[in-house]
Amino acid sequence: MAELVVVANRLPVAPATAADGTVTWEASPGGLVTALTPVLLARRGAWVGWPGTRAGVEGEPQAPAEIVTEEGLHLHPVELDGDDYERFYEGFANATLWPLLHGLIVAPRYEGDWWESYREVNHRYALAAAERADHGATVWVQDYQLMLVPGILRQLRPDLTIGFFLHIPFPAPEIFRQLPWREEVIRGLLGADLVGFHLDSCADNFLELCRNIPGHGSAHTGLPDTLEVTGASSVRRATGAVTAPDGRRVRVGSFPISIDSAKVIERAGRADAARVRRLTGDPAVLLAGVDRLDYTKGILRRLEAFEELLATGALDPAETVLVQVATPSRERVADYRRLRAEVEHAVGRINGRFAELGRPVIHYIHRPVAFDRLLELYRAADIMLVTALRDGMNLVCKEYVACHGDASGALVLSEFTGAATELDGAHLCNPHDIESVKRAVMAAVHADPADARERMARMHAQVRDHDVDLWAGAFLEELAAAHAGGGPR
Ligand code: ADP
Ligand code: G6P
């Protein structure tokens, strides 16, 4: 039994199939697992999540009941079959909640059978966590796929300390209120002792939503007549509190996530940036974009801005190269399929207009890339383009900045990313305004060298000093305090 249980949609592993057909489950390193591994090991921890393959589907590796990683982490797979995958994962999580919480970049779909599946699968995760958690243990639930889990767990196991962290944005209340099942989702979240967001603005949106809950006071919602909201948004790590339907006070706070800065800095020191520059034809200006192929990332707008800069001669096609890495993601969801077609059409068009033999202006990679290869690209790039239309935090820009401890490079950053509140040396842009993106790129190209170095040094220090360990520690500390009962600080 575990003293600390992390519940996330995915387990931090991926199946690897050998030539003889044997399957091993290999760790897929990410900031979250790196940060949580030491805490989990120290507290007999467990991780509950989906192994990433569909149960009962022929040809897909089937996970065992428990996976123990090399470091000794105990991972407990929750099974999703083909139907759960379509309705819970592709449907409610990624075609309803994802666009809704990102502020309607595309239209969310509201389907009753997807919602039924979401409830059912959230129950499954909650049961799996309840089975592993020791009496009085702490359970930390992650992200939008599992917003009902805190409420279900609270009913199953009133002895637990329960935290919830949302890794994506939380929108203005009038947007969230579109959701036909809004009361149940809010009640689910209020099962936690602490609900965390990246930014004060998202925490405030949630508090505001709770304050003016639709159906407020009706027996149907089960919410109380008066919801108490206290605290000031200027106070970090404890924005306020809400009284849950069962009378408990739920703290709400902001905890901006980061990366494993020391590891990235150390590995970047060994990255062969010269190789990337050579392979891209030693351009005078090397630009890079690294994103999941997701409509929230603003990839198309970035390509269009690049095209216009080449067309007007602001950037010289003979001297400028853009490397765009676009990781495949949620490929059967209609909006993602459409986006891929549009991005690939744009890449083809732009190369068609400006490439010479052996000199494409865009190098496009639509595959997962080994982390060390990404680091080489980060090290090599003169300008990193992060033009998300909306992003909870965005870790790519923090990784880029961590790779530039020598104060080289420049960051073009969307003001709609969480990171924009922290990285004050970036060239900010409004990705909805192509002129603004073009201006930010040209400001980075023509920056005064001393100013550019000063900007990057400032951002590097920020990321170096605020890593993912600090984030996890701050959340867990606040969670313990919230459970112990004190009001918001
Ligand atoms: P999101 O979580 O929405 O995908 P983030 O920028 O916050 O966006 O995090 C993306 C993470 O995925 C980063 O840690 C980045 O290094 C990693 N990543 C992005 N593209 C690739 C790729 N092609 N191959 C491997 N890892 C990638
Ligand atoms: C974002 C979400 C994560 C999710 C990741 C990859 O970072 O916040 O919860 O795991 O994207 O998406 P996927 O659908 O492949 O898990």
Side-chain angles (χ1 to χ4, degrees):
M1 296 294 268
E3 278 171 35
L4 175 64
V5 181
V6 170
V7 192
N9 178 46
R10 284 181 189 273
L11 289 176
V13 285
T17 311
D20 66 357
T22 31
V23 176
T24 48
W25 295 84
E26 296 187 350
S28 44
L32 191 62
V33 63
T34 319
L36 293 177
T37 298
V39 211
L40 285 168
L41 291 176
R43 295 172 67 174
R44 290 183 292 121
W47 189 307
V48 169
W50 174 51
T53 58
R54 291 169 297 176
V57 172
E58 214 182 301
E60 297 212 2
Q62 303 296 303
E66 186 182 47
I67 299 166
V68 182
T69 68
E70 265 179 33
E71 286 128 323
L73 266 192
H74 287 251
L75 311 179
H76 301 280
V78 173
E79 287 194 345
L80 297 186
D81 64 19
D83 209 38
D84 302 325
Y85 184 81
E86 275 177 35
R87 296 187 305 152
F88 158 75
Y89 172 74
E90 297 183 318
F92 201 78
N94 288 313
T96 306
L97 290 174
W98 181 267
L100 180 73
L101 297 188
H102 280 89
L104 313 178
I105 293 171
V106 303
R109 281 181 56 189
Y110 303 116
E111 305 279 346
D113 62 333
W114 291 359
W115 164 246
E116 285 311 318
S117 175
Y118 187 79
R119 288 173 73 177
E120 203 181 293
V121 171
N122 270 244
H123 255 98
R124 203 176 302 158
Y125 277 85
L127 280 171
E131 265 177 35
R132 314 288 162 212
D134 219 342
H135 185 81
T138 295
V139 179
W140 189 1
V141 183
Q142 311 285 330
D143 228 354
Y144 64 101
Q145 301 93 343
L146 303 178
M147 294 203 285
L148 302 180
V149 169
I152 302 165
L153 260 183
R154 177 69 58 197
Q155 294 199 339
L156 292 172
R157 292 285 304 272
D159 59 297
L160 298 176
T161 298
I162 304 170
F164 178 88
F165 187 83
L166 186 72
H167 290 259
I168 68 174
F170 196 83
E174 58 273 23
I175 291 179
F176 187 84
R177 284 206 294 263
Q178 283 195 2
L179 185 68
W181 307 280
R182 57 203 183 182
E183 288 91 354
E184 202 164 340
V185 171
I186 297 168
R187 272 208 304 277
L189 292 173
L190 294 180
D193 295 287
L194 172 64
V195 180
F197 301 88
H198 290 304
L199 306 181
D200 289 349
S201 57
C202 293
D204 287 344
N205 284 342
F206 180 68
L207 285 167
E208 180 68 22
L209 177 74
C210 292
R211 200 185 277 131
N212 298 303
I213 198 75
H216 171 81
S218 78
H220 171 65
T221 65
L223 288 160
D225 285 342
T226 46
L227 283 160
E228 190 187 343
V229 180
T230 53
S233 60
S234 58
V235 182
R236 245 188 153 57
R237 293 181 45 198
T239 306
V242 179
T243 304
D246 58 4
R248 284 174 311 105
R249 277 166 69 72
V250 178
R251 277 198 208 181
V252 176
S254 62
F255 307 83
I257 202 170
S258 190
I259 58 169
D260 186 350
S261 312
K263 191 176 89 188
V264 174
I265 290 169
E266 190 264 318
R267 280 169 71 169
R270 287 181 270 133
D272 188 359
R275 195 182 80 94
V276 176
R277 295 207 74 106
R278 205 170 52 245
L279 289 172
T280 51
D282 282 317
V285 182
L286 179 61
L287 303 136
V290 173
D291 317 78
R292 268 184 314 101
L293 189 41
D294 192 299
Y295 50 79
T296 58
K297 304 290 182 184
I299 301 171
L300 204 53
R301 207 56 63 82
R302 177 188 315 167
L303 293 174
E304 285 164 2
F306 183 58
E307 181 175 24
E308 287 192 14
L309 290 172
L310 293 174
T312 56
L315 292 176
D316 178 355
E319 293 289 348
T320 312
V321 166
L322 167 63
V323 177
Q324 176 64 57
V325 177
T327 320
S329 183
R330 307 169 193 168
E331 290 203 278
R332 302 192 323 172
V333 177
D335 286 309
Y336 287 76
R337 249 189 273 167
R338 193 172 313 122
L339 174 75
R340 180 176 174 192
E342 287 169 355
V343 164
E344 295 186 351
H345 181 83
V347 170
R349 183 185 67 237
I350 298 166
N351 272 333
R353 281 183 78 183
F354 300 106
E356 295 293 343
L357 279 182
R359 289 194 65 91
V361 286
I362 303 178
H363 293 250
Y364 173 73
I365 296 168
H366 180 247
R367 287 191 303 277
V369 174
F371 194 61
D372 284 323
R373 289 275 108 87
L374 282 187
L375 294 180
E376 287 176 358
L377 176 59
Y378 291 146
R379 278 293 307 147
D382 300 304
I383 303 173
M384 187 77 204
L385 303 177
V386 175
T387 56
L389 302 174
R390 195 86 184 89
D391 210 330
M393 176 51 66
N394 192 281
L395 295 178
V396 161
C397 58
K398 292 195 171 182
E399 290 167 354
Y400 176 75
V401 161
C403 288
H404 288 263
D406 62 355
S408 64
L411 175 64
V412 168
L413 180 61
S414 159
E415 61 188 74
F416 297 105
T417 60
T421 61
E422 297 182 288
L423 300 181
D424 64 357
H427 297 277
L428 290 182
C429 69
N430 170 6
H432 299 273
D433 172 5
I434 195 167
E435 296 303 324
S436 164
V437 179
K438 285 159 61 181
R439 268 197 309 275
V441 171
M442 294 318 292
V445 170
H446 294 308
D448 165 63
D451 177 54
R453 297 180 70 76
E454 198 273 320
R455 283 168 177 265
M456 186 54 74
R458 213 159 65 220
M459 295 193 286
H460 181 81
Q462 203 286 340
V463 172
R464 186 196 57 212
D465 297 343
H466 298 84
D467 65 3
V468 71
D469 282 348
L470 203 66
W471 168 80
F475 185 92
L476 287 170
E477 190 186 306
E478 187 75 23
L479 175 57
H483 188 75
R489 284 188 247 154

